[in-house]
Amino acid sequence: MAPVHDSYDVVIVGGAIYGSSVAWWLTQMAGFTGRILVVERDPSYERAGTSLTNSCIRQQFSNKANISVSQFGAEFIRNFRDFMGGDPEVPALTLQSYGYLYLADTPEFAQDLKDSQKVQASLGAGTRYMTAAEIAADYPFYQLDDILGANHNLVNEGYFDGGTMFDWFKRMARKNGVEYLTDEVVAMTCTRTRVERVMLKSGAEVACDVVVNASGTRGALTARMANLDIPIEPRRRYTYIFDAAHPLDRDLPLTIDPSGVHMRTDGRYYLAGGPPDEDPAVDFDDFDADHSLWEAKFWPIIANRIPQFEEIKLINMWVGHYDYNTLDQNAIVGPHPEMSNFMFVNGFSGHGLQQSPALGRGLAERIAYGEYRSLDLTPFAVDRVLSGEKFLEKAVI
Ligand SMILES: Cc1cc2nc3c(=O)[nH]c(=O)nc-3n(C[C@H](O)[C@H](O)[C@H](O)COP(=O)(O)OP(=O)(O)OC[C@H]3O[C@@H](n4cnc5c(N)ncnc54)[C@H](O)[C@@H]3O)c2cc1C
């Protein structure tokens, strides 16, 4: 299939949750009537971060911008059908609020949690700091010998169905006139300040007013096509689903062990995940798994923290890639200061799914009106990458 038109107001590179969120939000911007093309190289989305995600949302960040972005994420999930125009065909999304439990094993880490709790509470989040005794009273199954305390929040924090959200962003974008094309963006022609044309693997090419880089782990490759650099690389993350011979008598919050391994309730099973011990950049298409890691690393950590999980059976596992921002593990959003019609929405490093409603809306506002109207997203601007100044966020999982 070829593009229907020779030129588009907005060409979006990548059609997963970000490409589709930005596309759908653009169709919601009053007065914006631009023509939108989404180019996606793999419409199965088999290896997209969007498909291999753990699909959780939290208020527990240390940076106000990230907290506000996730708060809108929760509002969007809770009012999904209304946001989608009230169509009775749109399903209601649930948010299973079993919370995150961020465990601290050093006084410094405990102090960080207390500081973050204050920031979160100042924005209305329900986070509370718990002592080890309080954790033991609410969740008697943890081994807490090395734990000083934790932050926990049972409001708007837990699992949501990101797959359904993605599906409806895409469906409604299409319904509202967005064109989806199966092809790959391979090059761009640019002046010193603008991208003028986008070239596709099929040989087709289109003119564009704005280009959106929604290419996930390939974000740096897409930026290079416009002679720009961003510090994004694919990093392997393991996910395991397991069954327990002796299930817990209550939901397991998404528990972040000080080792970096996390685990949570997953329906009648449990989910655990984390990085390998060595965490280099990997090839975009390398999804090979080191199968020894389950017994060598993950299971011992899980069973140490929850002795009831001594007897567990692995049901499933997969490797996904984080779109890892090596500068500061946070999103890069908005235009490049010199290549002003090249828009980034990249580098989410493990918390991108929950941010897709707010960052998609913000970028659509920036494109349609030249400014952020709902939430100020300037803290995510690429300018910080150019100056080397990090976006400070302590809670990266
Ligand atoms: C294991 C794992 C667990 C996670 N857990 C969570 C979580 O609990 N909560 C949370 O909020 N986030 C989580 N995330 C992060 C979140 O899933 C991602 O940040 C988000 O899905 C990224 O979406 P995206 O649209 O930017 O990229 P992707 O989903 O990776 O999609 C990018 C798309 O661009 C396409 N593309 C790339 N280059 C081109 C090109 N040149 N031409 C055409 N198409 C192109 C690709 O084919 C792909 O479909 C997790 C991620 C992983 C891997």
Side-chain angles (χ1 to χ4, degrees):
M1 281 244 301
V4 174
H5 303 282
D6 294 334
S7 79
Y8 291 84
D9 295 278
V10 183
V11 174
I12 301 179
V13 189
I17 195 115
Y18 273 91
S20 295
S21 170
V22 173
W24 175 75
W25 277 110
L26 276 169
T27 69
Q28 303 303 296
M29 297 290 122
F32 180 82
T33 54
R35 201 186 273 158
I36 304 163
L37 175 69
V38 176
V39 185
E40 171 53 53
R41 64 194 290 280
D42 175 15
S44 78
Y45 299 99
E46 192 186 8
R47 288 176 161 179
T50 299
S51 305
L52 300 172
T53 187
N54 292 175
S55 211
C56 281
I57 180 165
R58 59 185 158 119
Q59 314 297 309
Q60 291 195 51
F61 291 94
S62 66
N63 187 302
K64 284 188 174 181
N66 272 338
I67 299 167
S68 302
V69 161
S70 272
Q71 285 180 325
F72 179 68
E75 183 189 334
F76 189 78
I77 292 163
R78 293 207 178 278
N79 300 286
F80 185 60
R81 187 181 290 144
D82 290 345
F83 274 105
M84 288 279 150
D87 185 337
E89 264 195 47
V90 178
L93 290 184
T94 46
L95 203 170
Q96 279 175 265
S97 284
Y98 42 68
Y100 279 50
L101 188 83
Y102 233 113
L103 295 170
D105 62 345
T106 64
E108 296 74 27
F109 191 7
Q111 189 56 50
D112 278 351
L113 290 183
K114 288 176 188 169
D115 294 344
S116 295
Q117 187 276 338
K118 287 200 183 86
V119 182
Q120 291 152 19
S122 75
L123 292 176
T127 316
R128 69 172 179 132
Y129 181 80
M130 299 170 81
T131 62
E134 287 168 332
I135 303 168
D138 284 5
Y139 299 102
F141 45 75
Y142 290 117
Q143 181 287 109
L144 297 168
D145 290 353
D146 55 334
I147 297 300
L148 301 178
N151 272 358
H152 188 219
N153 168 27
L154 287 168
V155 184
N156 287 338
E157 211 167 80
Y159 170 81
F160 70 103
D161 184 352
T164 298
M165 181 189 281
F166 167 43
D167 191 36
W168 282 90
F169 273 143
K170 202 170 26 152
R171 282 195 208 197
M172 292 307 225
R174 272 207 179 99
K175 189 175 166 194
N176 295 343
V178 174
E179 184 182 332
Y180 277 70
L181 181 71
T182 301
D183 208 327
E184 182 170 348
V185 173
V186 290
M188 296 176 193
T189 49
C190 310
T191 65
R192 228 171 42 78
T193 57
R194 292 184 66 76
V195 179
E196 306 228 297
R197 300 183 75 74
V198 168
M199 267 68 90
L200 306 180
K201 195 173 183 178
S202 62
E205 59 178 271
V206 292
C208 60
D209 278 346
V210 171
V211 173
V212 175
N213 180 356
S215 322
T217 55
R218 287 181 161 80
L221 293 183
T222 301
R224 276 313 299 154
M225 295 177 203
N227 304 314
L228 305 173
D229 288 311
I230 44 167
I232 310 297
E233 58 187 39
R235 297 265 184 112
R236 259 193 199 92
R237 290 295 177 270
Y238 285 77
T239 301
Y240 301 95
I241 306 294
F242 61 91
D243 198 2
H246 309 290
L248 306 175
D249 63 355
R250 60 202 81 184
D251 276 343
L252 175 62
L254 195 152
T255 306
I256 300 123
D257 188 83
S259 63
V261 170
H262 62 264
M263 51 191 138
R264 65 162 167 87
T265 286
D266 191 53
R268 64 164 286 235
Y269 298 123
Y270 299 94
L271 175 151
D277 288 332
E278 285 185 30
D279 189 23
V282 295
D283 188 84
F284 300 104
D285 294 312
D286 178 2
F287 286 80
D288 285 352
D290 174 353
H291 289 285
S292 71
L293 275 180
W294 172 245
E295 289 205 13
K297 171 179 174 147
F298 285 90
W299 189 3
I301 290 172
I302 293 166
N304 170 60
R305 189 57 61 210
I306 303 183
Q308 222 171 309
F309 285 164
E310 287 282 353
E311 268 184 79
I312 54 181
K313 187 170 133 199
L314 194 56
I315 301 287
N316 190 13
M317 68 86 58
W318 66 87
V319 168
H321 288 170
Y322 270 12
D323 38 11
Y324 194 87
N325 173 348
T326 60
L327 174 71
D328 58 20
Q329 293 83 59
N330 273 284
I332 300 171
V333 183
H336 190 275
E338 277 133 39
M339 192 69 75
S340 58
N341 68 341
F342 189 99
M343 302 283 166
F344 295 99
V345 63
N346 301 101
F348 308 103
S349 311
H351 44 273
L353 208 76
Q354 65 198 279
Q355 299 193 317
S356 62
L359 300 186
R361 178 183 64 176
L363 194 60
E365 289 170 350
R366 186 66 183 70
I367 293 168
Y369 309 128
E371 62 182 10
Y372 297 121
R373 292 199 169 169
S374 308
L375 268 182
D376 178 18
L377 301 185
T378 48
F380 298 100
V382 72
D383 304 56
R384 77 180 194 277
V385 175
L386 306 177
S387 64
E389 203 176 313
K390 295 182 182 180
F391 175 105
L392 294 178
E393 174 53 71
K394 290 177 184 160
V396 174
I397 298 173

